Each structure stands twice: as C-alpha cells, then as structure tokens.
Amino acid sequence: MHNEEVLVRIAKGLVYTESEAAFQAPLRRTEQIFEYNLTPPSKPERRRSLLTEILGSVGERTVLLPPFHAGFGSNVHIGDDFFGNVNLTFVDDVEIRIGDGVMIAPSVTLTTTGHPVHPARRADFGRFSEPIVIEDKVWIGSNVVVLPGVRIGYGSVIGAGSVVSRSIPPMTIALGTPCRVVRHITDEDLTTRTAGSEIG
C-alpha cells in the first residue's frame, strides 16, 4: 500500500498497522522529548527552544511541566497561555489541537488512537486514529483520559478521573466514567470558589 493510501485510511479513521505507518517515523520527536524532560528548571530558554522543535505549533506563555510524553509531538498544537502539569501524555498519531487558556492537571492522557476489539485485527499493532480538539479556556482535572475523536467545548471543566469518550459541549461541567455533563456553567459561578461538590 502506498503512503498516500495509508494517510487516506488514517484520515478516515480506518484500521491501519504499524508497518503501514512506519514511513511516518521521521515525524517523531522522541530525542527532543527525552532532552526536554531532563532540562533543568534553571534553563527556561532551552526548554522553550525544545518545545518549539517538538510541537507542531506552540503559542506564547506556555508552561508544560516535565516529564511529559508523546508518540510524535509534531502532531500536537497548543495555543497561548497553556498550563500542562506533570505526566501529561499525548498519543498523537493524528492531530491534537489545544486552544488558548487551557489548563491540564497532573497525569492526563489525550489519546487519538484506539485498537479493534477482535484480537485478529490487532495483528501488527492494528489501530485507528481520530483527532482530539480542546477549545479555549478548558480545565481538565487530574487523571482524566480523553479518547479518540473527542472535542471539548469552550470553557468546560472535566472532573478528575473521568474517561471522556464523547464530545462535551461548551460551558459545562462533565465528569465520570463514561464522562457525562452534570450541569452548565453560569454567572452564579462567578461568586463561588469551586464548581461545587460534584467535581470534588
């Protein structure tokens, strides 16, 4: 199968294998990610330089605390005023797009890739990939997993420990496994410190 045909299959969310996708290996930024994770806090300029080498695009005033992990790195696009806490994992076989003003708590996984249920279809690491979009001003709590094809809408909050398997509308609080909307964010939240006991 030609590389162009594989790319079409990937874009359609169809199953493809490790061997078929091997031509994409030069897009992996594993060496730079390794170096970033070992760069001391006293060298913020070096960290920033490495981040611009690793990511597909990165905005201003971006904080990404090491260690972080990515399959590629080059398929991740981050906007301005981003804060990513430790142990953020990007499974970025296809694009992950993160808007402005997004905050992500420790030990979050954003995975664009899943695998077929039947073991015969997982031969040669058979998989499918769908992009993830996180819109502006989203806050994602600790230990959240965001699955392939999910879009999290503007301003939303994802409660700690959630597994987000479906897209979440803007300005809502969502939590649980599977993640579900529990309420809308309103002007009343301007006067409270937290979203309430439901996100703990």
Side-chain angles (χ1 to χ4, degrees):
M1 189 176 291
H2 295 296
N3 294 351
E4 295 79 13
E5 293 173 12
V6 176
L7 290 172
V8 168
R9 290 180 63 79
I10 293 171
K12 289 182 176 179
L14 300 174
V15 174
Y16 63 98
T17 68
E18 180 71 17
S19 297
E20 289 172 336
F23 70 93
Q24 294 185 302
L27 299 174
R28 295 184 185 273
R29 304 291 182 252
T30 50
E31 290 293 326
Q32 294 96 325
I33 293 167
F34 182 84
E35 184 180 348
Y36 183 92
N37 287 333
L38 295 178
T39 301
S42 59
K43 297 186 176 178
E45 298 86 3
R46 181 59 185 150
R47 277 191 183 172
R48 175 66 187 184
S49 175
L50 282 165
L51 207 56
T52 60
E53 290 178 35
I54 294 164
L55 301 181
S57 61
V58 58
E60 300 300 320
R61 300 170 301 279
T62 296
V63 176
L64 180 54
L65 297 182
F68 86 96
H69 308 279
F72 285 83
S74 58
N75 287 327
V76 176
H77 301 268
I78 293 175
D80 297 335
D81 302 304
F82 171 82
F83 182 87
N85 216 315
V86 296
N87 294 320
L88 177 53
T89 298
F90 301 102
V91 182
D92 61 324
D93 293 293
V94 296
E95 283 191 346
I96 297 173
R97 292 202 166 267
I98 298 173
D100 298 335
V102 170
M103 298 191 305
I104 299 181
S107 300
V108 168
T109 298
L110 308 176
T111 179
T112 65
T113 294
H115 301 275
V117 172
H118 198 289
R121 300 201 72 198
R122 296 197 297 270
D124 192 15
F125 305 105
R127 58 189 180 261
F128 59 87
S129 301
E130 298 178 65
I132 289 171
V133 176
I134 298 170
E135 296 182 4
D136 297 348
K137 308 289 187 182
V138 166
W139 168 29
I140 298 177
S142 299
N143 296 298
V144 166
V145 178
V146 179
L147 296 178
V150 164
R151 183 181 198 100
I152 299 176
Y154 173 92
S156 288
V157 176
I158 307 298
S162 298
V163 177
V164 190
S165 56
R166 295 182 180 176
S167 293
I168 303 298
M171 293 297 285
T172 57
I173 296 169
L175 57 94
T177 303
C179 190
R180 291 190 168 89
V181 172
V182 294
R183 71 173 177 88
H184 288 277
I185 297 168
T186 69
D187 286 349
E188 289 182 14
D189 292 302
L190 292 169
T191 62
T192 62
R193 185 175 68 86
T194 67
S197 60
E198 69 271 8
I199 69 165

